[in-house]
Amino acid sequence: LNNSGDTLGGQFYKGTLRSGQVLESDSSIVILGDVNPGAKVMSAGNVVILGSLKGTVYAGANGNDEAFVVALEMAPIQIRIGDTIARCNDSGSRVKPISKDPMIAFVEDENIYIEKLDKDVLNDIKL
């Protein structure tokens, strides 16, 4: 429950998204698996990937710049949050992770930042 008493919506998807597959959600989504290059996730809310993000993700598809993207292995081709877009990797076929640690992507001052997911960052998340 958030402060107003409303339940925050979300859904789960289990499986790996392969090239050409698109997963869309009207709420936040937790993916239990990988998002491979060529796959795309679009969510009106937040996107949490318990696996590798190597494809494209669009969080806050309803224009929500407060949305975030979390991945255990962050190596995206492109991240879009609200109206802000960041291309993270143009190196061709081999996608390298930004870090071996879980990472979070968020918008601040009209830029997308990707940081290590830790307790301090979790405390700053707005829901």
Side-chain angles (χ1 to χ4, degrees):
L1 294 176
N2 64 17
N3 292 338
S4 65
D6 296 329
T7 301
L8 294 171
Q11 66 182 107
F12 287 85
Y13 175 87
K14 185 173 182 181
T16 294
L17 293 172
R18 304 201 185 290
S19 182
Q21 291 183 304
V22 178
L23 177 62
E24 295 186 46
S25 174
D26 291 332
S27 61
S28 294
I29 188 160
V30 176
I31 298 169
L32 306 171
D34 297 335
V35 178
N36 285 344
K40 185 175 188 178
V41 177
M42 294 178 64
S43 169
N46 306 308
V47 178
V48 176
I49 301 167
L50 299 179
S52 298
L53 169 56
K54 297 178 183 174
T56 298
V57 66
Y58 183 4
N62 58 356
N64 178 8
D65 285 332
E66 301 276 318
F68 58 84
V69 177
V70 169
L72 295 184
E73 182 180 324
M74 185 78 77
I77 299 297
Q78 181 180 15
I79 291 181
R80 181 171 175 178
I81 300 174
D83 297 322
T84 307
I85 300 173
R87 288 193 61 78
C88 296
N89 194 314
D90 291 313
S91 65
S93 61
R94 187 139 176 93
V95 180
K96 293 187 178 178
I98 293 169
S99 168
K100 292 185 188 262
D101 296 308
M103 304 290 282
I104 183 168
F106 59 92
V107 173
E108 191 173 290
D109 300 324
E110 298 181 20
N111 289 301
I112 292 179
Y113 294 93
I114 299 176
E115 294 183 357
K116 184 176 171 182
L117 186 65
D118 61 22
K119 209 171 198 174
D120 292 334
V121 173
L122 287 175
N123 289 335
D124 291 339
I125 288 177
K126 297 175 195 159
L127 295 177

